[in-house]
Each structure stands twice: as structure tokens, then as C-alpha cells.
Amino acid sequence: MTSSLFALCIDATSPPRLARFWSAFLGRESADDPDGGGIVLPPADDTGFRIRFLPTDQSKTAQNRAHFDLTSSSPEGQRQTVARALELGARHTDVGQLPEEGHVVLADPEGNEFCVIEAGNNFLAGCGFIGALSGDGTQAVGYFWSKALGWPLVWDQDEETAIQSPHGGSKFTWGGPPLMPRSGRDRVRFDLAPPADGDLHAEVERLLSLGATRLDPPGTDTVGVTLADPDGNEFRVLPPHWR
């Protein structure tokens, strides 16, 4: 069986602060994290994922290669979402968006970008409040993650790809080339976990056969195994019992 998405991980100099912000903003419960960070728990159904904020002493210096696209049901709803985010500690930010574009670009208290999309976006219809995790990536990386997670491709056109869990929920999208230059370690990463009766070694071998590369040598004293996808994005495969 394939691994599931255990968590979307985001580095933070103050994990509790970011966990409080996103917990309040998304209306979800939070919890402590065994790695010293903070967790925003997934919704009760199968259409979401947990968000882990992991401690780092490195401040954010460049635009993230992945960000949330949040949906709106009406123009007033979009304004209310923006106002709530600003009240909780977000700020407006400029990533090169044009004045005529309908979405609003914000950043959380540590500068992680996210977009509040205008109402009427058909591509994100039915995906929930977090309509998408929009990433910078090639067509090959979309194909890789479709196979890695067992999520079907729901968009594959002009080198842009998107996948979505069979249960629905947020889409994961990659916009095709040219890619944004990488500046140090990506602050937004995936943690995967095999099923409870799965095998870590077998799952790592499967992911390597799909095009991943290993970043930590076998036997490294860390939790799980660190790999990179075909675009060089770091991710980790946790042991089956790590919950």
C-alpha cells in the first residue's frame, strides 16, 4: 500500500505562534508536536491534512515555493476572510501580483505567503476552504506525487498538473516551468507515513523507483528517511508506527 500524507510541515522560528494563528484562522484544533513544534489538526473527515510547524533558527528570507489558495463563496466572504487574517496577525505582501487580479496575497506572522481567491473560481469549487496547496514544479513532479500518494491527476495541461485525494478536499497543484530559484532549504515540506502494517524500507524503495532520490545515507540516526522528489523538494517518510 502507498504512504499517506501524514502532515504538511512548515519551518517556524516560533512554532506555537504560527500554530495559534493557523488554528484560529482555519477554525481547527491544535496540539503539541513531539518534535517540539505545534500541530494544527486535520478536520474530522478524510478531506484534510494536519499542518506541523517545526522549530528552526533560520528566519524566512525568500518566497516559499508552495502556498495555500483559500476559497471564497462571495465577494463579501473574501473581504471577511482577509479582515479576519489581518486581525489575527497576517499582513498584505507583494509577490508580483497585478492590480487587476482578483485574489488577495497575504503573509502569516512569519511571512509565509497565502492567497485568498475571489469567488467563482471553478477550478477550486468543492475543495473546501483550503482550495489548493499551489506549488512551483514541473509536470514530472506532479506525476511523481500522483503515484507516490495514490491520488489521481485532476489536471494535466500545458505542463501544469494537479492531484486530489480520492476523498476530495484540497488540490495540490504545480505550475510548470520556469521554476523559482531555490534559496536554501525549502520551509514547506511533506511528511509521509506508510500504513500501520506497512514497511518503511519497502516504501522507500518504491518511492526511489518512482524517481525520488535519497538525501540521508542509510543508517542515519534520524526519524524516518529523508528523500527528494524529481524537482529536488525534500520530504520525509516516517516509520509506520510514528503517529
Side-chain angles (χ1 to χ4, degrees), residues 26-232:
L26 298 176
R28 296 187 188 177
E29 297 295 323
S30 61
D32 293 331
D33 184 88
D35 284 346
I39 298 176
V40 175
L41 297 174
D45 58 25
D46 291 328
T47 63
F49 45 86
R50 61 178 54 77
I51 306 169
R52 300 181 68 202
F53 297 99
L54 301 179
T56 181
D57 58 3
Q58 301 296 315
S59 298
K60 183 176 181 292
T61 59
Q63 183 179 335
N64 289 337
R65 290 164 65 94
H67 66 272
F68 289 143
D69 283 340
L70 308 179
T71 61
S72 306
S73 59
S74 66
E76 178 59 24
Q78 184 186 28
R79 288 190 289 269
Q80 290 175 354
T81 296
V82 171
R84 186 170 77 255
L86 295 174
E87 182 179 354
L88 290 170
R91 58 178 173 81
H92 289 277
T93 192
D94 184 1
V95 295
Q97 67 271 28
L98 300 175
E100 62 269 23
E101 292 178 315
H103 62 277
V104 179
V105 185
L106 302 175
D108 71 14
E110 290 203 7
N112 298 298
E113 302 85 4
F114 62 98
C115 295
V116 184
I117 305 299
E118 65 272 23
N121 186 297
N122 292 329
F123 181 71
L124 300 180
C127 293
F129 184 50
I130 302 179
L133 177 70
S134 295
D136 191 43
T138 63
Q139 185 181 54
V141 90
Y143 291 174
F144 170 83
W145 282 108
S146 175
K147 294 174 182 176
L149 294 174
W151 291 12
L153 280 163
V154 294
W155 182 262
D156 183 10
Q157 185 172 313
D158 299 327
E159 299 190 74
E160 299 177 352
T161 54
I163 63 174
Q164 187 178 30
S165 166
H167 301 290
S170 307
K171 293 175 178 175
F172 289 5
T173 74
W174 294 273
L179 302 187
M180 184 187 307
R182 178 171 273 110
S183 176
R185 188 188 192 195
D186 290 331
R187 299 178 73 84
V188 181
R189 305 182 300 278
F190 293 154
D191 269 356
L192 309 186
D197 59 350
D199 179 87
L200 176 60
H201 175 74
E203 179 59 6
V204 168
E205 290 302 314
R206 185 184 73 89
L207 293 166
L208 292 174
S209 75
L210 294 177
T213 55
R214 189 157 188 160
L215 296 183
D216 57 351
T220 303
D221 187 18
T222 58
V223 176
V225 177
T226 303
L227 304 174
D229 69 19
D231 280 359

Side-chain angles (χ1 to χ4, degrees), residues 8-32:
L8 175 71
C9 299
I10 302 174
D11 284 346
T13 56
S14 178
R17 181 188 186 198
L18 278 196
R20 287 193 299 270
F21 169 84
W22 283 101
S23 174
F25 185 44
L26 298 176
R28 296 187 188 177
E29 297 295 323
S30 61
D32 293 331

